Amino acid sequence: MVNDFLIISSKIKQSNGLEVTTTFGLDFLRLRAFIERKWFEGRAKTYKGVFRLYPLNEICNYLKLLNFKIEKVYGDFDGRKFSFESPRMIIVVKK
């Protein structure tokens, strides 16, 4: 069975004593990432964010619809080839 959801959670105590709990999740089926941070600073505080993830082929299709020509795709600033494990997606386009 392939997992379609990933959750990572961590608790970090900063140098000023503030303890921050971060939960990060990926929903591979819905192409969403979420992050939730909780900390106590006089009162409990929470930050939540949900982000849409765009696969390379979808971005390329949008760019082509806007009459851009895709010159090159990189997986990081060092010029390595883009793959699923790449830390970044860098697309060089020309109008």
Side-chain angles (χ1 to χ4, degrees), residues 4-21:
D4 57 356
F5 204 84
L6 170 72
I7 297 177
I8 301 169
S9 190
S10 67
K11 187 181 278 191
I12 297 174
K13 191 166 192 170
Q14 298 179 344
S15 60
N16 62 0
L18 187 67
E19 199 170 80
V20 179
T21 301

Side-chain angles (χ1 to χ4, degrees), residues 2-69:
V2 175
N3 291 332
D4 57 356
F5 204 84
L6 170 72
I7 297 177
I8 301 169
S9 190
S10 67
K11 187 181 278 191
I12 297 174
K13 191 166 192 170
Q14 298 179 344
S15 60
N16 62 0
L18 187 67
E19 199 170 80
V20 179
T21 301
T22 302
T23 304
F24 178 77
L26 289 172
D27 183 340
F28 296 105
L29 290 178
R30 293 172 192 82
L31 295 173
R32 300 283 187 270
F34 75 87
I35 187 167
E36 179 179 88
R37 288 201 169 119
K38 295 181 179 185
W39 67 97
F40 189 84
E41 196 173 31
R43 64 181 176 88
K45 295 184 179 183
T46 302
Y47 165 80
K48 292 182 182 182
V50 178
F51 309 93
R52 167 82 157 78
L53 304 174
Y54 292 90
L56 178 60
N57 65 330
E58 190 173 343
I59 293 173
C60 289
N61 287 339
Y62 288 136
L63 289 168
K64 287 175 186 174
L65 284 172
L66 296 169
N67 296 316
F68 284 95
K69 182 178 183 267

